[in-house]
Amino acid sequence: MLRLLTALALVLAPGLALAAQPILLKPARVWTAEDAGPPHEGWSVLVKDGRIAAVGPAAGIDATGAEIVELPGATVIPGLMDLHSHLFLHPYNETLWDDQVLKESPTYRTLRAAVQAKATLDAGFTTLRDLGTEGVGTADVPLKKAIDEGLIPGPRLFVATKAIVATGAYGPARRNYNPEAELPQGAQEASGVPEVIKAVREQAGVGADWIKVYADYRVGPDGSTQPTFSLEELKALVETAHSSGRPVSAHASSDEGMRRAVLAGVDTIEHGYGGSEATFKLMAEKGVIFFPTLTAVESTSTYFGGYVAGKTPPTAAMRNAERAFKLAVKAGVTIGMGSDVGVFRHGDNARELVWLVREGLTPAQALLAATAVDAKVLGRSNDLGQLKPGYLADIVAVTGDPTQSIEATRTVVLVIKDGRIARRP
């Protein structure tokens, strides 16, 4: 698989050569993500040897020998993060999820993921947590390696390889096909504590940075979302993952699935559309981070629910997502930025930021979710997510001021990752 990714390097990576000299960015303003305050007018950022060498008033920075990059009217911010992504999927209105898993070859999906990684980086997202390959096994591990080694352009990846699901609980759902057929599944199945422990160890062994578990899914006799693992199974999964130094992300849309996952000690909850006030309060008490994936609901409502933005009222699913989000904010749950991109087009990740603001966060709060908060979730708050001397030089410039209008995050003019210019004005 790595050879396939290597073959893309000459086509995709002409702009990723390591800068031979320091770079001085001279925008209209700089937002450092140290807090939710306004950006600093007249500041500059000096990049040297892959890291931020200085941030502050332009007159106080010694930029001798540096390449000067003028960014009139732009705001420089830390590289954005999306901690719920699926690079191996593409929008369901192009190809249904089942058809991607059943009909698209792993080779095709991996090649496509590489192209989608470049689109993500070009859009200003320099770090992703990819939460499952959805039927392409452990292909995210060589994809990550190819990006890390500079063979292809893309964001820094934290990968989960195969998500872990209860036997018979995921898809493609066997009840929808010939029950005697051997259908490939989009995740690794497990039942009982021994199998759950084994699955965690297998995913850790092949290179997973995170363990992803589905605490519930559409397994009810009527297709309703129901818990899939017992609390005992989830506790064993979390204990095994944590003892190996790996955090746990839980897909959970039902209140009971969320409650069990939180009690088991997971680190993040994804979706949470059915969460109750009590469960969100429990999340706040336990310090579990919430990724509401609002854009995923909008997208599926558009594809399959008849929703037309600006013309029809929100669907029931969208109203549930809004209700849950507001309960989480009220309860004091920390909100991270994770969009479930792959359900919608890669490179449009900033749509989630727009939704976060639409549902009640300030633009600065949404930006913090996609920078400093997400960096803390990854355990990298000491070198990512803020513009500080010594931090890795992941930097984005956008037109206008995103702390005033979050839509500015969709007009990226410059992207720097690890001190390398990936996209120029």
Side-chain angles (χ1 to χ4, degrees):
M1 199 67 71
L2 185 58
R3 292 179 182 175
L4 293 170
L5 297 171
T6 305
L8 292 172
L10 294 177
V11 177
L12 296 179
L16 290 182
L18 183 64
Q21 63 184 128
I23 302 167
L24 181 69
L25 305 179
K26 298 184 70 175
R29 61 197 73 83
V30 173
W31 187 75
T32 62
E34 294 176 90
D35 54 45
H40 301 278
E41 302 284 340
W43 277 28
S44 291
V45 179
L46 180 66
V47 175
K48 186 176 181 181
D49 297 328
R51 294 187 177 265
I52 297 170
V55 183
I61 295 178
D62 181 3
T64 303
E67 174 189 359
I68 308 298
V69 180
E70 300 281 354
L71 297 162
T75 302
V76 160
I77 63 176
L80 297 168
M81 304 185 191
D82 187 339
L83 298 197
H84 191 129
S85 65
H86 293 284
L87 282 172
F88 292 84
L89 292 175
H90 58 102
Y92 302 166
N93 63 333
E94 296 176 357
T95 306
L96 295 174
W97 186 91
D98 274 20
D99 286 347
Q100 292 185 48
V101 176
L102 293 172
K103 298 179 180 180
E104 294 180 352
S105 73
T107 301
Y108 170 82
R109 293 182 66 190
T110 302
L111 290 168
R112 185 172 191 128
V115 174
Q116 292 170 167
K118 181 180 186 301
T120 303
L121 183 62
D122 286 346
F125 284 80
T126 57
T127 298
L128 293 185
R129 182 180 60 158
D130 199 77
L131 289 180
T133 62
E134 306 292 330
V136 199
T138 60
D140 50 356
V141 176
L143 178 65
K144 173 185 175 178
K145 179 178 174 66
I147 292 171
D148 287 348
E149 293 182 352
L151 298 178
I152 61 172
R156 179 180 296 99
L157 294 183
F158 294 81
V159 300
T161 61
K162 297 180 186 178
I164 298 171
V165 297
T167 302
Y170 200 48
R174 294 179 177 90
R175 63 181 175 272
N176 296 331
Y177 299 91
N178 177 355
E180 297 181 5
E182 290 293 328
L183 291 179
Q185 291 290 292
Q188 180 171 358
E189 296 182 299
S191 285
V193 168
E195 286 190 12
V196 164
I197 291 174
K198 181 180 179 182
V200 172
R201 289 173 176 165
E202 287 178 351
Q203 298 316 312
V206 296
D209 302 303
W210 279 69
I211 299 300
K212 165 82 174 289
V213 63
Y214 279 73
D216 56 25
Y217 208 65
R218 298 185 289 272
V219 297
D222 57 353
S224 60
T225 297
Q226 303 292 339
T228 51
F229 284 113
S230 69
L231 181 57
E232 180 187 20
E233 289 170 316
L234 289 172
K235 283 183 175 179
L237 181 145
V238 172
E239 181 181 0
T240 305
H242 283 177
S243 69
S244 75
R246 290 169 175 82
V248 178
S249 160
H251 166 114
S253 294
S254 68
D255 188 55
E256 179 60 16
M258 294 169 65
R259 189 186 72 84
R260 291 184 193 179
V262 173
L263 291 175
V266 303
D267 299 277
T268 69
I269 292 285
E270 321 297 317
H271 313 306
Y273 307 135
S276 66
E277 182 176 2
T279 297
F280 282 118
K281 286 182 178 179
L282 183 65
M283 287 177 62
E285 291 170 8
K286 300 288 188 181
V288 179
I289 312 301
F290 181 42
F291 290 89
T293 61
L294 300 170
T295 311
V297 184
E298 178 210 16
S299 299
T300 54
S301 293
T302 300
Y303 305 155
F304 311 120
Y307 174 70
V308 179
K311 295 184 179 180
T312 64
T315 64
M318 293 172 70
R319 292 194 298 272
N320 281 339
E322 177 184 7
R323 177 201 59 81
F325 178 77
K326 292 182 186 249
L327 282 177
V329 172
K330 181 181 177 182
V333 177
T334 299
I335 306 296
M337 158 59 189
S339 68
D340 212 358
V341 66
V343 176
F344 61 98
R345 188 177 70 88
H346 295 276
D348 276 353
N349 309 62
R351 285 171 59 184
E352 184 73 11
L353 290 169
V354 174
W355 269 106
L356 290 175
V357 172
R358 190 175 297 169
E359 298 295 5
L361 297 190
T362 67
Q365 287 173 331
L367 287 170
L368 281 174
T371 53
V373 171
D374 276 4
K376 187 175 181 180
V377 172
L378 294 172
R380 296 291 296 272
S381 56
N382 63 331
D383 66 351
L384 285 175
Q386 297 180 63
L387 300 182
K388 288 182 176 181
Y391 276 50
L392 289 172
D394 281 16
I395 304 169
V396 172
V398 300
T399 301
D401 182 355
T403 68
Q404 296 299 311
S405 173
I406 197 66
E407 290 279 357
T409 55
R410 305 184 75 173
T411 56
V412 172
V413 295
L414 173 81
V415 179
I416 295 176
K417 180 193 163 206
D418 282 329
R420 301 173 177 89
I421 296 180
R423 176 176 175 178
R424 288 182 176 271

